[in-house]
Amino acid sequence: MVSAGTLHVVTTELVVGTFALAGLCFGLKLLYSFKLLSNNKANDALDSIAHGALLFGLLSLPFAILSGINSAGVNDGGFMSAILVNKLWLSFSGFGLAIGVLISRWKVGSSIWDETKTSLTQSSFGMAACGAILLTASAGGKFARGESLLDMLHLPYDLILLMPIWLSVLLLLSGLTNLVIGIRANSSQ
């Protein structure tokens, strides 16, 4: 039988790899949107790869979260750590952002990349989803090994990041803005 800790490492690497690939592709799509790169075949491929990797990472994320909760020993007081609370908060944030990006792409289609405003929104939210997941992985390294690749940034992993009302409202408004932009782009066709 495979332990929860081993399963968590495997699922985490799967999630991190797919989200990193998606984030890279969303970043390149952003460069195409500003006409800094030009190659139609690569541009189309980046769209498919970015959203495909994001979907695969999104489908793998619940397994990483559940195996992480089991390996942390929640029954033994494992959630007494601020790092674990931050990991859960960041992973759920990344999960929600990724769902929004995928729904926008599904509803609007590939024409989401036709306008600079929608292209910027789609790629920014896609990179934000990937960033949240990569920060989650970094916090996991800090929890498990006492170090992370982002130690040079001196991130406050030991503080629980409670969201103030103004930040909740800001996130709600940004989500609604993304939805409205997607609906307008879809209805203008």
Side-chain angles (χ1 to χ4, degrees):
M1 179 120 175
V2 178
S3 71
T6 302
L7 186 60
H8 182 61
V9 169
V10 171
T11 56
T12 299
E13 294 302 325
L14 188 64
V15 168
V16 168
T18 55
F19 271 88
L21 176 63
L24 176 67
C25 291
F26 280 118
L28 290 172
K29 281 296 287 180
L30 186 61
L31 295 177
Y32 275 99
S33 299
F34 288 115
K35 310 284 190 265
L36 296 173
L37 297 175
S38 61
N39 180 332
N40 287 338
K41 276 188 167 181
N43 194 9
D44 292 340
L46 286 172
D47 177 42
S48 298
I49 295 168
H51 290 95
L54 193 65
L55 178 63
F56 189 74
L58 192 63
L59 294 174
S60 305
L61 189 57
F63 296 106
I65 292 171
L66 292 174
S67 64
I69 289 171
N70 286 334
S71 68
V74 175
N75 295 335
D76 304 332
F79 265 113
M80 298 309 287
S81 168
I83 295 175
L84 291 179
V85 173
N86 286 329
K87 280 185 61 166
L88 200 58
W89 181 80
L90 283 168
S91 62
F92 284 153
S93 296
F95 191 82
L97 286 167
I99 287 174
V101 167
L102 290 172
I103 289 174
S104 295
R105 174 60 174 83
W106 175 56
K107 290 285 190 184
V108 177
S110 63
S111 64
I112 201 163
W113 301 109
D114 294 345
E115 294 179 31
T116 304
K117 184 191 277 185
T118 57
S119 179
L120 176 64
T121 303
Q122 184 72 357
S123 55
S124 296
F125 278 100
M127 289 188 299
C130 297
I133 296 303
L134 295 177
L135 276 173
T136 303
S138 179
K142 190 71 168 174
F143 179 75
R145 295 178 302 280
E147 65 179 356
S148 119
L149 285 174
L150 300 179
D151 278 347
M152 63 188 146
L153 299 177
H154 305 290
L155 298 172
Y157 292 123
D158 55 340
L159 299 174
I160 296 176
L161 302 172
L162 296 178
M163 286 182 38
I165 300 273
W166 66 267
L167 184 56
S168 297
V169 170
L170 181 67
L171 287 174
L172 178 64
L173 290 175
S174 67
L176 291 173
T177 302
N178 191 22
L179 182 64
V180 168
I181 289 171
I183 290 171
R184 282 189 182 174
N186 193 24
S187 64
S188 68
Q189 296 175 1

